[in-house]
């Protein structure tokens, strides 16, 4: 029983006893079993890549996409929020990240062959980013797929960069030398020094969706979005507004000049075949403009 377990554990040493309570034991077991399921899942092809269109604020046409991983396990489609943290802790993020990179590059190559010039972003987690092999892997993937360099964007976060800024600068530089591009993801939620924006070879900022969500209700959020946009314009960085869900949000953003829009209003992340269908249709994915249409109705 619990008391006995605790007693025995305590005898094993001060620093260990907490791991032997039945509750934590069960938790640890769940984690270990989920981890081995994920490991097997990666090996057995249970990962899927979905693609969320990124569109131009003016035309609504597809400009690129973000690749987002899902895990199809026992008939369920599991969101990355539920397994990326585990993958990071366990080190499985390295094989997972490699699969994502290879699969994304394969799609990008297919679009290239079909005559589309799209930018495709993939998310990097800090563990991958400090991996010595990342530059080599990226080179190998380019060679294996024949993808023209400059099509892939790596999405990185402020906290990832700030952890080890010198090393980050080094890896970014090495990737950039071979065509890698970079978006700073979830921008505004971290605590990076603005000076780093100048020091790092960034191509764009993705405004975190928490600011977009509150555009209508909160003057501070509007002010923050405006500040980020003008900062990006000054530094000649592209801007992607994340999580755009309403025509009101879109109207506000369109009023600030050209940018890129990503969000359910344009499209949720979709499987590759669906994305390709949207691409072939070539239609605007945005509703007609409400406020920013200079030509009127
Ligand atoms: P993220 O990179 O910020 O990706 C954007 C997330 O916002 C996606 O969630 C997307 O489905 C969601 N989203 C897009 N538009 C809207 C909208 O209009 N409203 C709302 N409410 N949500 C929207 P998802 O796919 O669940 O991914 C969550 C996070 O998991 C990502 O955040 C990213 O940090 C991480 N992730 C996803 N795929 C990968 C991957 O391949 N590798 C790594 N390391 N991380 C990944
Ligand atoms: Mg992202
Ligand atoms: Mg994001
Ligand atoms: Mg986000």
């Amino acid at each position: 029983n619990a008391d006995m377990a605790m007693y025995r554990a305590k005898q094993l040493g001060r620093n260990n006893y907490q791991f032997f309570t039945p509750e934590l034991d069960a938790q640890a077991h769940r984690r270990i079993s989920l981890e081995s399921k994920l490991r097997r899942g990666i090996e057995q092809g249970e990962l899927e890549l979905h693609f969320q269109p990124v569109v131009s604020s003016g035309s609504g046409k597809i400009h690129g996409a973000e690749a987002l991983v899902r895990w199809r396990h026992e008939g369920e489609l599991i969101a990355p929020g539920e397994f990326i943290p585990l993958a990071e802790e366990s080190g499985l993020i390295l094989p997972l990240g490699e699969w994502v990179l290879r699969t994304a590059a394969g799609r990008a190559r297919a679009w290239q062959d079909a005559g589309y010039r799209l930018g495709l972003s993939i998310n990097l987690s800090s563990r991958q980013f400090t991996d010595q092999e990342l530059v080599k892997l990226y080179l190998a993937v380019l060679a294996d797929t024949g993808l023209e360099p400059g099509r892939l964007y790596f999405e990185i976060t402020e906290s990832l960069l700030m952890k080890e800024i010198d090393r980050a600068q080094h890896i970014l530089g090495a990737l950039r030398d071979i065509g890698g591009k970079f978006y700073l993801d979830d921008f505004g939620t971290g605590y990076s020094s603005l000076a780093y924006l100048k020091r790092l070879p960034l191509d764009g900022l993705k405004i975190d969706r928490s600011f977009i969500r509150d555009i209508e209700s909160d003057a501070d959020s509007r002010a923050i979005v405006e500040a980020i946009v003008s900062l990006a314009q000054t530094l000649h960085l592209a801007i992607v507004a994340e999580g755009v869900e309403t025509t009101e949000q879109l109207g506000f953003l369109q009023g600030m000049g050209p940018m890129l829009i990503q969000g359910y209003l344009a499209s949720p992340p979709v499987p590759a075949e669906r994305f390709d269908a949207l691409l072939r249709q070539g239609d605007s994915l945005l509703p007609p403009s409400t406020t920013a249409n200079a030509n009127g109705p």
Side-chain angles (χ1 to χ4, degrees):
N1 68 27
D3 286 346
M4 276 305 289
M6 187 73 101
Y7 174 74
R8 263 185 274 118
K10 270 180 176 164
Q11 288 186 316
L12 290 174
R14 262 177 183 291
N15 299 326
N16 290 326
Y17 79 88
Q18 55 184 335
F19 295 117
F20 287 79
T21 63
E23 218 173 280
L24 284 173
D25 207 31
Q27 235 176 58
H29 270 111
R30 252 202 314 278
R31 233 195 41 207
I32 290 165
S33 102
L34 194 63
E35 188 185 314
S36 60
K37 280 181 190 161
L38 180 57
R39 179 178 318 246
R40 229 173 305 127
I42 295 170
E43 287 164 5
Q44 297 181 352
E46 291 180 2
L47 296 181
E48 281 180 26
L49 217 45
H50 286 200
F51 300 88
Q52 185 172 32
V54 174
V55 306
S56 304
S57 61
S59 68
K61 300 264 172 81
I62 293 180
H63 181 272
E66 178 172 5
L68 295 155
V69 70
R70 276 95 181 85
W71 178 18
R72 172 114 21 215
H73 183 63
E74 289 168 359
E76 232 191 305
L77 198 61
I78 308 176
E82 299 197 29
F83 60 91
I84 291 286
L86 177 77
E88 278 169 356
E89 277 170 45
S90 61
L92 286 174
I93 194 70
L94 294 180
L96 185 153
E98 177 168 348
W99 181 86
V100 168
L101 179 58
R102 288 189 180 280
T103 308
R107 287 315 302 165
R109 172 64 207 249
W111 296 331
Q112 177 180 306
D113 290 345
Y116 298 104
R117 300 181 64 82
L118 305 181
L120 177 60
S121 21
I122 61 165
N123 294 280
L124 284 187
S125 71
S126 60
R127 189 91 171 240
Q128 287 171 276
F129 196 71
T130 50
D131 181 20
Q132 300 290 345
E133 301 296 302
L134 182 59
V135 178
K136 256 193 258 169
L137 174 62
Y138 174 64
L139 264 180
V141 166
L142 287 180
D144 293 350
T145 55
L147 179 66
E148 135 195 357
R151 292 286 135 217
L152 287 185
Y153 286 74
F154 295 100
E155 296 196 4
I156 50 187
T157 60
E158 293 163 271
S159 52
L160 178 157
L161 287 174
M162 292 317 114
K163 255 186 214 165
E164 273 186 278
I165 182 70
D166 292 325
R167 186 184 181 123
Q169 200 177 6
H170 178 76
I171 297 179
L172 253 52
L175 286 170
R176 163 159 264 181
D177 287 346
I178 45 178
K181 301 211 170 153
F182 308 97
Y183 280 139
L184 205 44
D185 203 359
D186 305 338
F187 187 70
T189 59
Y191 46 88
S192 59
S193 154
L194 293 181
Y196 291 137
L197 292 184
K198 224 179 77 180
R199 204 171 128 187
L200 297 165
L202 297 173
D203 297 281
L205 303 178
K206 299 190 78 167
I207 307 175
D208 190 66
R209 79 164 187 265
S210 58
F211 302 117
I212 307 297
R213 183 191 58 217
D214 297 336
I215 273 180
E216 289 153 82
S217 61
D218 177 24
D220 289 344
S221 289
R222 279 196 296 278
I224 289 169
V225 170
E226 278 166 345
I228 295 175
V229 169
S230 74
L231 178 71
Q233 286 166 344
T234 306
L235 295 174
H236 304 291
L237 299 172
I239 311 151
V240 184
E242 294 195 283
V244 179
E245 294 184 354
T246 70
T247 48
E248 288 76 14
Q249 291 164 353
L250 176 66
F252 176 81
L253 295 165
Q254 285 171 326
M256 298 178 60
M259 64 177 76
L260 298 169
I261 302 288
Q262 182 180 352
Y264 295 165
L265 186 65
S267 168
V270 292
E273 313 75 60
R274 174 78 189 127
F275 183 87
D276 287 356
L278 292 172
L279 204 52
R280 277 194 304 273
Q281 280 161 19
D283 298 333
S284 169
L285 297 184
L286 294 175
S289 169
T290 45
T291 56
N293 190 342
N295 301 320

